[in-house]
Amino acid sequence: MADDKSNAAAYWKANLRLITGCLIVWALVSYGFAILLRPLLAGIPVGGTDLGFWFAQQGSILTFIGLIFFYAWKMNRLDKQFGLEE
C-alpha cells in the first residue's frame, strides 16, 4: 500500500513538473515574445512582417499546438514508466 502511494506521488510530481514546464514555455512565447520583447524583435523580418508581430499572431498559436503534442507524447512516456499505459 505504501509503495502504491509513493508511486502515485512520484507520478503526480512528474506530471506537475511537465505541466509547469509547458506553462512556462507557453507564457514566455505568448506573453514574453509577443508583448514584452516585441520592440527588440521588431527589426527581424519574417514573412513580410517583423518577428514580434509574427509571435503575437502566429507563433504563440503554433507553439501552443506544438505543446499539446509534446505534452501528449511525454505523458505517454510517463504512463509507460509508471506502468499506467493503456
Side-chain angles (χ1 to χ4, degrees):
M1 184 70 156
D3 189 40
D4 287 342
K5 284 190 176 189
S6 66
N7 196 25
Y11 176 77
W12 186 244
K13 184 177 180 179
N15 188 8
L16 287 178
R17 188 176 28 230
L18 177 60
I19 290 171
T20 302
C22 287
L23 285 174
I24 288 171
V25 169
W26 171 74
L28 179 68
V29 170
S30 65
Y31 184 71
F33 289 160
I35 297 171
L36 297 177
L37 296 178
R38 189 171 192 286
L40 295 174
L41 300 173
I44 304 170
V46 171
T49 185
D50 63 271
L51 187 60
F53 180 78
W54 186 86
F55 267 113
Q57 297 301 315
Q58 304 293 330
S60 57
I61 295 169
L62 294 175
T63 301
F64 183 68
I65 292 170
L67 281 174
I68 291 170
F69 286 106
F70 174 77
Y71 178 77
W73 174 70
K74 286 294 279 187
M75 281 305 297
N76 284 335
R77 289 185 65 207
L78 192 65
D79 288 346
K80 285 179 186 175
Q81 179 182 346
F82 284 93
L84 301 170
E85 67 267 36
E86 295 179 14

